[in-house]
Amino acid sequence: MSNASQDLDQLRPSDGFASLLSYRLVAWRKDEADVALMIERRHLNRSGVLHGGVLTTLLDVALGYAGCFIATPGRRRRAFTLSLNTQFIATGQVGDRLTAKGHKIGGGASVFFAKGEVLTEGGRLLATAEGVFKYRGESGKPDGEAAD
Amino acid sequence: MSNASQDLDQLRPSDGFASLLSYRLVAWRKDEADVALMIERRHLNRSGVLHGGVLTTLLDVALGYAGCFIATPGRRRRAFTLSLNTQFIATGQVGDRLTAKGHKIGGGASVFFAKGEVLTEGGRLLATAEGVFKYRGESGKPDGEAAD
Amino acid sequence: MSNASQDLDQLRPSDGFASLLSYRLVAWRKDEADVALMIERRHLNRSGVLHGGVLTTLLDVALGYAGCFIATPGRRRRAFTLSLNTQFIATGQVGDRLTAKGHKIGGGASVFFAKGEVLTEGGRLLATAEGVFKYRGESGKPDGEAAD
Amino acid sequence: MSNASQDLDQLRPSDGFASLLSYRLVAWRKDEADVALMIERRHLNRSGVLHGGVLTTLLDVALGYAGCFIATPGRRRRAFTLSLNTQFIATGQVGDRLTAKGHKIGGGASVFFAKGEVLTEGGRLLATAEGVFKYRGESGKPDGEAAD
């Protein structure tokens, strides 16, 4: 899966919000993506618990990546979110290591559907989400678009 | 509206995520709240446009505050988000001044419903949301809880 | 608005679910649609109040129509729902006359966004919704598609 | 599971909307519920395919039941929906036998979270949903309320 690894590396410098929050794409394969973050004080809300915006961000990223994996070298897929629904089941604390797991569950060359969840290292469910995404340009076709 | 202004000031130091993203509560009154943010490079995704997680964060905050205003000095309301649905209508650029406007639209002493939208200064609609929130403890009652 | 009236009439015989539930499209204009239903016993759930499925149905229909109005005779737009989020604010009783009001709020030739609410005749808010829809074929273009 | 079977029987006469649409609760156990429906012409929209309102109804029912199972004879749980988000992945045809499968995924004595999906007999995924529900009265407590 060298292409995916390459993409993981290429990702980091160019993404302001990923740097700001310190989340990372840690697994990427056909229809699946995992995004990780360790909770720090900067991720807390005024009640001292994890800000909901951190959970929606991780889920948006994991679900979006899940639909954009492509194994062909030199090709890529890109998408933007049309809608994202998040349910907040439990909260997290400083030091918790979170993984947002995204799964593509359907769609075609224009639009895809995904769902996912955020879990702590111990397997506690913090949030679930489902979302609809639209591929940019022609990149949803079977062989994507040139990665330029 | 001195109580609200006082709360606006008290808010900032204690909230890690508000500092990290630089959003601010700029208006707060019965059933309404406005949250503002100016888009900077740190808010962008890897495609160079506003990260969806910024929009979901602003909406979560604006909708949550909309249900927590209380005019009585020394009293407060607090809530956490049960679910938030966001629709991404358009995207924003560096330098755009955004306002997320939250409106409480129903509920009781236990749960409230809110909706909202994110607009640019020029009135362009970037996103809409609706959410369900639960009051912490007894703070959803008419006179809230002691602000401690 | 003769074209819209014509379409309202053409609608009824072909739609099994509209007949089953007895809802009707009662207003249709650019970016807006109203759908009406009077609550009867058949619309109740086992607790004796309005079934949530009636509210989601009315909202799905009103939001979908809101994006499909076209003034040009002999042309039409058709769409299917990608996602629909509904919030259930209050419930209704037998005899209540409901109107679901849909509003298109954005989108392009491929996808549109809408929101809406269900109100009683007395103006009580029962539910809100927001949804994403995809136009069938080329029918989202400015002049729609041939009406068959 | 005689208690659940008893409830399944008791359910039918009192529920107008279940009769109108001909859906049935076909499995009910801790944190899970299955609701079945065979698509007939009355379930179609004006485009001749399954009406989205049928899918949202089945999901609302399945998710709601999933959180209301209780094994103790003479006790029950009841809930109403706060929010329901549905994604429409594919459509169904007359004659398709559908099952909506609901799963409770979290919550406490006041509110619960659920998710689910609608599948054809052949395993094709038509829709997914997630929802938040509130227990009526004290019925969300471990031993529910008297079934009276």
Side-chain angles (χ1 to χ4, degrees):
Chain A
M1 210 162 65
S2 63
N3 182 62
S5 304
Q6 197 176 40
D7 286 339
L8 297 190
D9 289 342
Q10 286 170 352
L11 169 70
R12 282 157 206 153
S14 61
D15 186 339
F17 206 57
S19 296
L20 190 67
L21 269 66
S22 295
Y23 63 78
R24 292 181 309 120
L25 179 64
V26 293
W28 202 15
R29 56 194 176 281
K30 183 169 163 33
D31 297 340
E32 309 277 344
D34 291 356
V35 175
L37 174 142
M38 194 182 76
I39 304 177
E40 300 172 53
R41 291 195 58 78
R42 60 178 159 158
H43 300 121
L44 303 186
N45 65 17
R46 60 190 177 122
S47 294
V49 295
L50 181 62
H51 196 294
V54 177
L55 293 169
T56 56
T57 298
L58 295 180
L59 286 160
D60 185 36
V61 173
L63 272 61
Y65 272 112
C68 289
F69 180 79
I70 190 165
T72 317
R75 310 296 293 180
R76 69 174 176 185
R77 287 205 177 105
R78 294 182 301 158
F80 53 90
T81 315
L82 295 175
S83 69
L84 182 75
N85 188 66
T86 305
Q87 304 203 144
F88 302 84
I89 318 285
T91 193
Q93 310 298 335
V94 169
D96 283 348
R97 291 175 186 278
L98 306 183
T99 304
K101 304 178 82 68
H103 317 264
K104 178 181 167 183
I105 56 174
S110 165
V111 163
F112 74 87
F113 300 89
K115 66 175 183 180
E117 54 278 320
V118 178
L119 300 161
T120 64
E121 216 168 7
R124 203 158 60 94
L125 178 65
L126 299 195
T128 63
E130 51 186 19
V132 188
F133 297 80
K134 190 166 194 308
Y135 287 113
R136 291 180 188 275
E138 307 285 293
S139 73
K141 290 190 170 173
D143 61 350
E145 65 177 17
D148 66 20
Chain B
M1 208 164 64
S2 63
N3 181 62
S5 304
Q6 194 177 43
D7 285 339
L8 297 190
D9 289 341
Q10 286 170 353
L11 169 71
R12 281 156 208 153
S14 60
D15 186 337
F17 206 57
S19 296
L20 190 66
L21 269 66
S22 295
Y23 63 77
R24 293 180 310 120
L25 181 63
V26 293
W28 201 14
R29 55 194 176 280
K30 184 167 163 34
D31 298 339
E32 310 277 343
D34 292 355
V35 175
L37 174 143
M38 193 183 75
I39 305 178
E40 301 172 51
R41 291 195 59 78
R42 60 180 159 156
H43 300 121
L44 304 186
N45 66 16
R46 60 188 178 123
S47 295
V49 294
L50 181 63
H51 197 294
V54 178
L55 292 169
T56 56
T57 297
L58 295 181
L59 286 160
D60 185 36
V61 174
L63 272 62
Y65 271 111
C68 289
F69 180 78
I70 189 165
T72 318
R75 309 298 291 180
R76 69 173 177 186
R77 287 205 177 105
R78 293 182 301 156
F80 52 91
T81 316
L82 295 174
S83 69
L84 182 75
N85 187 66
T86 307
Q87 304 203 145
F88 303 83
I89 318 284
T91 192
Q93 311 297 335
V94 169
D96 283 347
R97 291 173 186 279
L98 306 183
T99 304
K101 304 179 82 67
H103 317 264
K104 178 181 168 183
I105 57 173
S110 165
V111 163
F112 74 87
F113 299 89
K115 66 176 184 180
E117 54 278 321
V118 178
L119 300 161
T120 64
E121 217 169 5
R124 203 158 59 95
L125 178 64
L126 299 195
T128 63
E130 50 186 21
V132 187
F133 296 79
K134 190 167 194 308
Y135 287 112
R136 292 180 188 275
E138 307 284 294
S139 74
K141 290 191 171 172
D143 62 348
E145 65 178 16
D148 69 5
Chain C
M1 210 163 66
S2 63
N3 182 62
S5 304
Q6 197 176 43
D7 285 338
L8 297 190
D9 288 341
Q10 286 170 352
L11 169 71
R12 281 155 206 154
S14 61
D15 186 337
F17 206 58
S19 297
L20 190 67
L21 270 65
S22 294
Y23 62 77
R24 292 181 309 122
L25 180 64
V26 292
W28 201 13
R29 55 193 177 279
K30 183 169 163 33
D31 297 341
E32 309 278 343
D34 292 356
V35 175
L37 175 142
M38 193 183 75
I39 305 178
E40 300 172 53
R41 290 194 60 79
R42 60 179 159 157
H43 300 121
L44 305 186
N45 66 17
R46 60 188 179 125
S47 295
V49 295
L50 182 62
H51 197 294
V54 177
L55 292 169
T56 57
T57 297
L58 295 180
L59 286 160
D60 186 35
V61 173
L63 272 61
Y65 271 112
C68 289
F69 180 79
I70 189 165
T72 318
R75 310 296 293 180
R76 69 174 177 188
R77 288 204 177 105
R78 292 183 301 157
F80 53 91
T81 316
L82 295 174
S83 68
L84 182 75
N85 188 67
T86 306
Q87 304 204 145
F88 302 84
I89 317 285
T91 191
Q93 310 298 334
V94 169
D96 283 348
R97 292 176 184 277
L98 307 183
T99 305
K101 304 178 84 65
H103 316 264
K104 178 180 167 183
I105 56 173
S110 165
V111 163
F112 74 88
F113 300 89
K115 67 175 182 181
E117 54 278 321
V118 179
L119 300 162
T120 64
E121 217 169 6
R124 203 159 58 97
L125 178 64
L126 299 195
T128 62
E130 51 185 21
V132 188
F133 296 79
K134 189 166 193 310
Y135 287 113
R136 291 180 188 274
E138 307 284 294
S139 73
K141 291 191 171 173
D143 62 350
E145 65 179 14
D148 60 6
Chain D
M1 210 162 64
S2 63
N3 182 63
S5 304
Q6 196 175 42
D7 286 339
L8 297 190
D9 289 341
Q10 286 170 352
L11 169 70
R12 282 157 206 154
S14 61
D15 186 339
F17 206 57
S19 297
L20 190 68
L21 270 65
S22 294
Y23 63 78
R24 292 181 311 121
L25 179 64
V26 293
W28 201 14
R29 56 194 175 280
K30 185 171 162 33
D31 297 340
E32 310 277 343
D34 292 355
V35 175
L37 174 142
M38 193 182 76
I39 305 178
E40 300 171 54
R41 289 194 59 80
R42 59 179 159 158
H43 300 120
L44 304 186
N45 65 17
R46 59 188 178 124
S47 296
V49 295
L50 182 62
H51 197 294
V54 178
L55 293 169
T56 56
T57 297
L58 296 180
L59 286 160
D60 185 36
V61 173
L63 272 62
Y65 271 111
C68 288
F69 180 79
I70 189 165
T72 317
R75 310 296 291 179
R76 68 173 177 186
R77 287 204 178 106
R78 293 183 300 157
F80 52 91
T81 316
L82 295 174
S83 69
L84 182 74
N85 188 67
T86 307
Q87 304 203 144
F88 302 84
I89 319 284
T91 191
Q93 311 297 335
V94 169
D96 282 349
R97 291 175 185 279
L98 306 183
T99 305
K101 304 178 83 66
H103 316 264
K104 179 182 166 182
I105 56 174
S110 165
V111 164
F112 74 88
F113 300 89
K115 66 175 183 181
E117 54 279 320
V118 178
L119 300 161
T120 64
E121 218 168 6
R124 203 159 59 96
L125 178 65
L126 300 196
T128 63
E130 50 186 20
V132 188
F133 297 79
K134 189 163 193 311
Y135 287 113
R136 291 180 188 275
E138 307 285 293
S139 74
K141 291 191 171 172
D143 61 350
E145 65 179 14
D148 67 20

